[in-house]
Amino acid sequence: MSPEEFEKLPIIGIAGTQGNEPTGYTELQKMLLPYIDTYHSFLWLCFFGTLFYLIFKFLILPIAQDSKKKEEK
Amino acid sequence: MISALSERFGPRLSKLKDAYWRMFSIKEIENDVAVRLFGGAVLIGFLVSFKNWEGNWGTTIMAKLNGSALCWPTFQSCYNWIFMDARPEGYTQNTIFMLMLGVIFLAAYALLSKKYTLAHVSIFILFLWKLYVTSISYRYSANYDYYQTSFTIIFLFLPHKRFFGSLAVVTFYFLSTATKIHETWTLGTYFTSMKTGLPIFPKWATLFLTNLVIFMEMIAAWFLFSKNKFLQRTVFFFFAVFHLYSGTLVGYHYPTIVTPSLLIFFGPLFKPFDTVPNGIKSFPGWCFFLFLFSMQMLSHTIPGDEKLTLEGNFYGLYMFEANHQCSVRIADENDNAIFRYDSASARDRCDPYRYWFRIKHTYCEQNKGAKYSFKMTHSINGGPFYMIVNEPDLCALEYKPFSKNDWIKTEKEAQPMARPRQNYYR
């Protein structure tokens, strides 16, 4: 749902929120909204990238090096 | 008589103690002050958890009778396992929890007086008790319970306790970002949709701070292991301050469980690891971390935004996953409301499962064949109120714990109903 469609919805306040401002994006959030999916994809890439890098560097590589050393002996 | 007994059973007892000692790697507790302190941190965790659980009606027979006891979606028959009474109906629960307080004191004494097997056995008893109480109440699925249980498992059962204890602290930061890759944090809408916003900081800074937390937890947290003292200390200082700051919203409970382990493993006692354990002894530890990772990813395998549907939301970490508001109405065949609930508390998750379970175990069981309509609107992060449940017969519904429930609509299927007003963190 776009911010424009969202702003057209009827406003309701429940459980003590009556009288508060309606929710909505700030100007900065609106500006960034079109790029948010790309940003999330980038973050997932960082998440899995970090994970695979750490597993490879600190777990898989040392195991491989150890077994290579054993073979050489 | 005593000497005859000790002559007869002494060697067997000694063998048993040796086996126990080896099986649970108790030598590591003996040799490492950080691991001993970690045991103390685990005990503090039990103390703050049990303080809140003692006297709580949610795990008692009374809660079972009035349908307010809430079983896990994965163990919906937990009512058969509830046996305790609590004040004013009885004292079973209170008595057992006081016994557990005694065990906490005993474990603390044993740790301080270097009786490590006794300390281990005592913490094992506390762990079993916590496991039972947690299994009969879905209310005890909070993040700090998850942390404390994991820390206890590492302290009790895993070899390489110091390494895996340290890794748990950092891994939990890292895993928590899986739930933060969402507008909640990337745009900071959790806090900007609250009337009071983030504590201390101005509203315009929200987005920068929430993204800073994502960066620190996902990437920088790993530098807690760094041999570069400046880098390591900077990140450590950030997280120490972060936990104290978070307490302005979440209170004492969460920082009390997490901060001690951070201080123990990465504070003045920090020693960089030269190698990462990868031998056969480390296998259970790696399996445990694989399990934690799988649980964290589970919600992402269920279609829809788990922050709105809450399906699979509670199997991993879900700290500040979304700011919630909801309205629930359950009515009989004449459209008379038998249950109404409105919540604008940001942290009240509004899980449809909870209302379904409660009515199913009260009204549906008492009035076989009756029909109750179930309507629920739910808004996250100040977004639209979506009608996520609109069913004519609640009693006919079933809840699947690991897959999509057709009666809970996703943001793509549900109809947007209204725009909420700013709410509060209560």
Side-chain angles (χ1 to χ4, degrees):
Chain A
M1 170 177 271
S2 69
E4 293 76 28
E5 286 171 317
F6 175 63
E7 278 164 19
K8 282 180 193 157
L9 288 172
I11 298 163
I12 61 161
I14 59 165
T17 61
Q18 297 87 344
N20 289 356
E21 290 281 308
T23 58
Y25 293 115
T26 62
E27 287 308 311
L28 183 60
Q29 287 169 333
K30 272 185 198 167
M31 207 171 78
L32 297 170
L33 202 56
Y35 312 103
I36 202 70
D37 287 339
T38 315
Y39 182 47
H40 287 173
S41 305
F42 166 74
L43 287 176
W44 279 117
L45 191 70
C46 288
F47 181 86
F48 284 105
T50 306
L51 193 64
F52 288 128
Y53 169 77
L54 291 168
I55 291 173
F56 186 76
K57 185 171 180 193
F58 294 106
L59 207 58
I60 296 174
L61 210 60
I63 291 174
Q65 282 169 345
D66 282 354
S67 63
K68 202 177 171 185
K69 273 180 196 167
K70 274 179 193 166
E71 273 176 23
E72 281 170 3
K73 278 179 188 173
Chain B
M1 168 96 178
I2 291 170
S3 65
L5 278 174
S6 72
E7 234 173 69
R8 186 166 176 192
F9 295 108
R12 280 188 200 173
L13 271 176
S14 169
K15 266 189 183 174
L16 194 71
K17 197 180 161 188
D18 283 349
Y20 191 90
W21 188 271
R22 277 197 308 277
M23 185 186 291
F24 297 114
S25 311
I26 293 173
K27 201 170 181 57
E28 292 182 28
I29 305 174
E30 185 186 43
N31 291 345
D32 193 336
V33 65
V35 178
R36 289 202 291 279
L37 287 170
F38 185 44
V42 163
L43 283 180
I44 293 173
F46 279 120
L47 190 69
V48 291
S49 299
F50 289 178
K51 179 196 163 287
N52 290 338
W53 296 358
E54 190 272 332
N56 188 302
W57 45 264
T59 52
T60 65
I61 292 171
M62 182 48 76
K64 181 165 95 170
L65 294 176
N66 67 23
S68 56
L70 188 65
C71 299
W72 284 77
T74 45
F75 183 35
Q76 293 178 28
S77 60
C78 80
Y79 275 27
N80 301 328
W81 294 82
I82 297 175
F83 69 92
M84 296 182 289
D85 274 321
R87 297 180 302 263
E89 278 81 25
Y91 300 107
T92 337
Q93 190 219 50
N94 316 97
T95 308
I96 299 174
F97 271 110
M98 288 319 292
L99 204 67
M100 291 300 143
L101 183 63
V103 178
I104 291 174
F105 290 150
L106 179 67
Y109 161 76
L111 271 177
L112 289 171
S113 58
K114 301 180 179 176
K115 294 178 170 50
Y116 301 118
T117 311
L118 180 64
H120 191 278
V121 171
S122 309
I123 294 174
F124 202 163
I125 293 168
L126 296 169
F127 174 68
L128 291 176
W129 177 243
K130 187 184 177 189
L131 217 55
Y132 164 70
V133 179
T134 304
S135 67
I136 59 167
S137 182
Y138 192 33
R139 290 190 177 85
Y140 300 152
S141 59
N143 285 293
Y144 36 76
D145 297 321
Y146 195 69
Y147 266 86
Q148 209 268 340
T149 304
S150 302
F151 286 158
T152 312
I153 289 171
I154 292 166
F155 179 80
L156 285 178
F157 307 117
L158 298 186
H160 303 291
K161 296 182 195 301
R162 185 184 183 126
F163 175 77
F164 284 116
S166 312
L167 186 64
V169 174
V170 176
T171 302
F172 282 138
Y173 290 137
F174 179 73
L175 288 181
S176 77
T177 61
T179 204
K180 291 185 174 95
I181 303 176
H182 191 275
E183 276 187 26
T184 309
W185 281 79
T186 52
L187 288 178
T189 48
Y190 188 109
F191 303 102
T192 55
S193 53
M194 284 200 303
K195 188 175 166 64
T196 44
L198 264 180
I200 304 170
F201 294 100
K203 197 171 182 178
W204 61 262
T206 307
L207 194 145
F208 300 102
L209 292 166
T210 50
N211 281 283
L212 173 70
V213 171
I214 295 176
F215 168 76
M216 292 303 288
E217 292 191 322
M218 191 187 286
I219 312 284
W222 296 103
F223 290 99
L224 282 169
F225 285 112
S226 176
K227 286 176 184 166
N228 179 325
K229 216 170 177 181
F230 174 75
L231 205 57
Q232 198 274 342
R233 286 280 177 253
T234 308
V235 178
F236 167 74
F237 183 72
F238 172 87
F239 281 109
V241 173
F242 170 71
H243 285 304
L244 294 179
Y245 172 76
S246 76
T248 54
L249 273 177
V250 300
Y252 267 35
H253 198 146
Y254 172 69
T256 305
I257 286 178
V258 185
T259 320
S261 296
L262 174 77
L263 299 176
I264 292 162
F265 291 125
F266 299 106
L269 292 176
F270 171 70
K271 276 190 290 192
F273 293 93
D274 291 326
T275 52
V276 170
N278 59 21
I280 190 75
K281 264 180 81 178
S282 65
F283 187 69
W286 292 117
C287 288
F288 179 63
F289 278 80
L290 182 65
F291 170 75
L292 292 179
F293 177 77
S294 310
M295 295 307 277
Q296 192 65 49
M297 289 297 129
L298 197 74
S299 61
H300 296 283
T301 64
I302 302 173
D305 186 344
E306 78 276 10
K307 293 157 178 65
L308 185 75
T309 65
L310 279 301
E311 290 167 306
N313 189 57
F314 301 105
Y315 298 136
L317 294 168
Y318 56 92
M319 279 166 285
F320 288 82
E321 87 290 12
N323 172 335
H324 303 269
Q325 294 195 53
C326 66
S327 214
V328 183
R329 186 175 190 272
I330 297 168
D332 65 15
E333 282 158 278
N334 300 317
D335 203 31
N336 296 316
I338 58 160
F339 179 84
R340 282 207 70 136
Y341 182 70
D342 289 328
S343 171
S345 170
R347 69 171 181 170
D348 183 351
R349 263 87 188 184
C350 303
D351 184 356
Y353 169 77
R354 291 186 175 221
Y355 315 113
W356 167 81
F357 186 89
R358 183 164 186 181
I359 299 302
K360 184 107 171 166
H361 278 266
T362 48
Y363 287 89
C364 296
E365 276 182 11
Q366 286 157 16
N367 310 300
K368 302 272 183 209
K371 281 187 179 179
Y372 299 99
S373 62
F374 181 11
K375 288 182 182 177
M376 178 173 172
T377 55
H378 189 191
S379 152
I380 55 169
N381 302 322
F385 274 108
Y386 285 107
M387 179 76 84
I388 64 162
V389 181
N390 187 5
E391 290 291 325
D393 186 4
L394 179 150
C395 302
L397 304 173
E398 294 297 331
Y399 190 89
K400 292 177 282 184
F402 295 114
S403 54
K404 168 107 179 66
N405 291 281
D406 292 333
W407 55 273
I408 302 174
K409 306 296 178 208
T410 67
E411 65 283 7
K412 287 181 183 136
E413 300 162 335
Q415 194 189 347
M417 307 295 289
R419 178 183 177 187
R421 291 182 180 276
Q422 292 180 334
N423 64 344
Y424 303 95
Y425 189 90
R426 290 196 172 105

